[in-house]
Amino acid sequence: MLLIKNGRVLDPASGTDAAMDVLLDAGRVAKIAPEISAPSAEVLDARGWIVAPGFIDLHCHLREPGDENSETIATGARAAVRGGFTAVCCMPNTQPVNDNASVTRAILERAAAADQARVWPIGAASAGSKGESLAEIAAMKQAGIVAVSDDGRPIASANLLRQVMDYCRALGLTVVDHCEDASLAAGAVMREGPTSARLGLRGMPAAAESVCVARDVQTAGLTGCPLHIAHLSARASLDLVRAAKRDGLAVTCEVTPHHFTLIDEDVRYDTRYKMNPPLGSREDRQALLNGLADGTVDAIATDHAPHELALKDVEFDRAPFGIIGFETALALALEQIVHSGRIPLMRLVELFTTGPARVLGRERRLAEGAPADLTLFSTNHAWTFHAEESASKSRNSPFDGRSFRGAPMATIVGGRVVYKR
Ligand SMILES: [Zn+2]
Ligand SMILES: [Zn+2]
């Protein structure tokens, strides 16, 4: 038994915001009440901390199998709990691709052995994510995937997307798409605009994303399948999601901390600022902040994308896309949208808990009987992120050396404290 004393419980599902103790027993929440007495329980003092349902990251890359020099399931899951995440959804673009049940099962076995964050695999939509024929979606669902995506690239054609969606609707799976029109994005390494022109780097227009979002939203309307837009970065894409929601379609989206914090003008030639989709314009960032505040954005997701040093230590044009993100996500969200006064703390917790759960057709709540997955965090703990101290195997972060106010303080998975600051 674990007794969490003196914390401030925030539960978006019930609207609870109160000073309460929380008693965990046998992997479940046993009791939530003021002043619980449980003499035999181990005590965790959460004075000054928020006690929230366990954070879920809808989007990460754990690189195993295939690129264990950049990350393994164990190191990724360790970095995840240091970021306050109790569950992370890993994308299928490993080697081999997670497009069949045996790869799904191998991922789950390694995650169970690591015993840190829960790992919820996302299965490929097409075989090898090649965009030709369907992956073994039903068998992967049986094995434990939570959604379907060809992330790293979009689902190749509207017709294939329609087939995937017809299939996933029947199976009760959400389709997650990396929206990018290949012809508009060809050869691009950053967002097209005055900055790309000044740096002499090839840019992709914002429309490379939004034309694909339009295709996807209309295909979701055609099939009735839940659609989730990954790492949405452009104002026009957000407008399409907002309209789809107004029309009653099951369309959701996530935004990453780097897209709501940085813009294309930050790029210079530093490969730690190279990610896909690329950093947007000042206006795009403002639109994302508005979407986080008004409810159009459903979740904050990291798109944690580790790359070992040698891969990123090359010219900007040749570097792979992506940055690590688990350990800075909450602090960036506090900095950009809570401390700045844009959203209340309850909405922030929603973006990390009930929001992502809803995308997957799941529940997330801090209530008696619920699984004992909890994230305890401080809104004012002062600290500095040093990439070389990350639990990830990789160091590719543009936030190396940045100082923050607020951090995850303890992460509890299945009633066990897997991380304590
Ligand atoms: Zn992607
Ligand atoms: Zn990704």
Side-chain angles (χ1 to χ4, degrees):
M1 281 200 292
L2 180 69
L3 178 59
I4 302 164
K5 294 285 289 181
N6 308 317
R8 173 182 166 196
V9 170
L10 276 187
D11 178 40
S14 62
T16 303
D17 178 355
M20 304 250 242
D21 293 348
V22 181
L23 181 66
L24 310 179
D25 186 25
R28 300 254 154 202
V29 177
K31 192 174 179 187
I32 303 178
E35 298 292 325
I36 298 174
S37 165
S40 61
E42 185 190 333
V43 173
L44 177 62
D45 187 6
R47 188 175 304 273
W49 299 351
I50 306 299
V51 179
F55 285 11
I56 299 167
D57 187 1
L58 285 174
H59 191 145
C60 72
H61 300 269
L62 298 181
R63 304 298 187 213
E64 186 181 2
D67 184 14
E68 289 83 354
N69 287 334
S70 293
E71 197 76 287
T72 65
I73 289 166
T75 58
R78 180 95 197 99
V81 298
R82 286 168 61 101
F85 293 103
T86 59
V88 298
C89 301
C90 61
M91 285 298 177
N93 62 337
T94 45
Q95 297 160 342
V97 170
N98 180 18
D99 63 359
N100 66 80
S102 66
V103 177
T104 304
R105 277 193 294 267
I107 290 168
L108 287 170
E109 276 163 25
R110 277 168 218 185
D115 204 16
Q116 295 287 316
R118 296 181 199 275
V119 174
W120 293 347
I122 292 179
S126 63
S129 283
K130 290 198 175 96
E132 289 157 8
S133 57
L134 290 192
E136 295 174 19
I137 297 173
M140 287 192 289
K141 158 107 195 204
Q142 282 259 300
I145 62 164
V146 297
V148 154
S149 181
D150 274 346
D151 187 53
R153 58 183 78 159
I155 293 174
S157 71
N159 186 47
L160 180 69
L161 177 63
R162 181 187 192 175
Q163 291 174 49
V164 170
M165 284 189 150
D166 278 337
Y167 212 75
C168 286
R169 185 177 57 88
L171 290 169
L173 288 170
T174 300
V175 173
V176 180
D177 205 17
H178 164 126
C179 289
E180 177 184 339
D181 180 275
S183 61
L184 285 173
V189 297
M190 68 174 293
R191 173 65 75 77
E192 180 180 297
T195 305
S196 67
R198 187 163 48 77
L199 296 177
L201 293 170
R202 191 180 179 104
M204 68 174 85
E209 177 181 274
S210 58
V211 298
C212 189
V213 173
R215 177 199 81 168
D216 285 18
V217 165
Q218 291 178 36
T219 311
L222 182 66
T223 60
C225 181
L227 165 70
H228 179 68
I229 309 297
H231 44 50
L232 185 145
S233 71
R235 180 175 58 180
S237 306
L238 196 70
D239 289 343
L240 289 162
V241 170
R242 194 176 279 120
K245 287 181 185 242
R246 205 164 42 226
D247 291 346
L249 297 180
V251 174
T252 55
C253 70
E254 71 194 23
V255 166
T256 71
H258 46 280
H259 287 113
F260 67 64
T261 303
L262 303 171
I263 57 174
D264 59 352
E265 293 167 32
D266 295 313
V267 168
R268 299 183 191 95
Y269 293 99
D270 185 338
T271 62
R272 292 175 306 171
Y273 292 79
K274 182 175 177 183
M275 59 283 278
N276 195 11
L279 297 170
S281 68
R282 195 172 291 277
E283 294 71 30
D284 289 309
R285 173 174 172 264
Q286 190 54 51
L288 300 184
L289 292 169
N290 294 342
L292 287 159
D294 72 15
T296 307
V297 176
D298 297 272
I300 293 172
T302 66
D303 197 5
H304 175 82
H307 293 292
E308 64 170 312
L309 219 56
L311 291 171
K312 277 283 201 184
D313 196 14
V314 295
E315 302 91 274
F316 197 88
D317 274 332
R318 290 172 51 221
F321 294 105
I323 63 170
I324 58 172
F326 288 141
E327 291 163 75
T328 48
L330 172 63
L332 286 166
L334 286 167
E335 173 191 290
Q336 295 293 320
I337 54 180
V338 176
H339 296 328
S340 62
R342 288 191 170 95
I343 64 166
L345 198 51
M346 185 70 94
R347 169 73 178 138
L348 172 114
V349 173
E350 183 185 7
L351 285 161
F352 280 109
T353 60
T354 45
R358 210 181 321 116
V359 168
L360 301 174
R362 294 180 173 219
E363 272 196 339
R364 201 60 156 181
R365 62 205 171 90
L366 185 45
E368 290 173 12
D373 289 10
L374 287 82
T375 299
L376 279 52
F377 66 96
S378 159
T379 57
N380 55 33
H381 179 85
W383 68 292
T384 301
F385 176 67
H386 295 294
E388 80 265 17
E389 292 167 8
S390 171
S392 169
K393 273 196 160 184
S394 291
R395 302 286 175 255
N396 49 314
S397 169
F399 304 113
D400 189 18
R402 194 175 178 112
S403 291
F404 293 108
R405 193 156 62 85
M409 301 307 286
T411 307
I412 299 170
V413 176
R416 195 169 67 86
V417 180
V418 288
Y419 170 68
K420 191 156 185 293
R421 182 173 287 269

